[in-house]
Amino acid sequence: MDLQMLSDRAEINDVLVRYTRAIDTGEWDLLDKVFAPGAQIDYTESGGIAAAYAEVKPWLAEMLPAFFPKRMHTLGQLDIQVDGDAATCSAYFHNPMPMDDGAGGEKIVEFGGIYHHTLVRTADGWRSERLHEQVVWKRGL
């Protein structure tokens, strides 16, 4: 593995961490440094939408805080494959979130799965052109 490959892998790791931080903190504009403008995102397995980034970004900003006011991701087992200026990355995730239980309290909802990104090197660094959120398991819904 040469220095360019190591650098690419580190930069792609940073893109995924930036994604989870943006989602968890509600810093929605940070997603502009994760996704390419024409990226396609598919959240249908967790009950969300599949659409272009321009539609998904405001949807996330509206829907996530309404259902899950607090969010926290853990990423693991990143499988990064780089081929020149293109790459794929599959990353395991665990995402527990408290939500209103409908009786004045809260319950914890958890999702476990794999984020599948297709990435491209741009003038601004690596960006995801496609994200498919694969839900492997969920609890609390």
Side-chain angles (χ1 to χ4, degrees):
M1 193 175 296
D2 64 11
L3 288 177
Q4 183 62 55
M5 181 68 70
L6 291 170
S7 175
D8 289 340
R9 292 173 59 86
E11 290 175 33
I12 290 167
N13 183 80
D14 288 350
V15 169
L16 271 70
V17 169
R18 192 176 306 123
Y19 168 75
T20 59
R21 292 285 299 152
I23 296 295
D24 293 348
T25 64
E27 296 176 69
W28 309 113
D29 289 338
L30 191 55
L31 292 172
D32 296 343
K33 294 182 180 181
V34 172
F35 292 105
Q40 294 295 309
I41 303 169
D42 183 352
Y43 290 127
T44 55
E45 290 189 34
S46 61
I49 64 171
Y53 173 60
E55 183 178 343
V56 170
K57 181 181 172 184
W59 178 85
L60 285 169
E62 178 184 351
M63 299 306 288
L64 277 183
F67 288 97
F68 306 108
K70 298 175 187 171
R71 299 165 300 277
M72 188 179 85
H73 277 85
T74 302
L75 289 176
Q77 294 179 242
L78 276 68
D79 179 16
I80 300 170
Q81 303 295 320
V82 179
D83 184 11
D85 291 337
T88 59
C89 179
S90 295
Y92 283 44
F93 72 87
H94 177 222
N95 186 204
M97 301 170 286
M99 74 179 293
D100 186 337
D101 69 1
E106 67 180 26
K107 64 180 180 176
I108 301 295
V109 174
E110 295 177 90
F111 290 91
I114 306 170
Y115 289 128
H116 299 281
H117 285 272
T118 302
L119 302 106
V120 63
R121 186 191 319 269
T122 72
D124 296 319
W126 286 96
R127 296 293 185 266
S128 179
E129 289 188 314
R130 183 176 189 284
L131 167 60
H132 171 237
E133 178 188 60
Q134 176 189 1
V135 175
V136 176
W137 60 270
K138 55 187 167 184
R139 180 175 22 211
L141 282 179

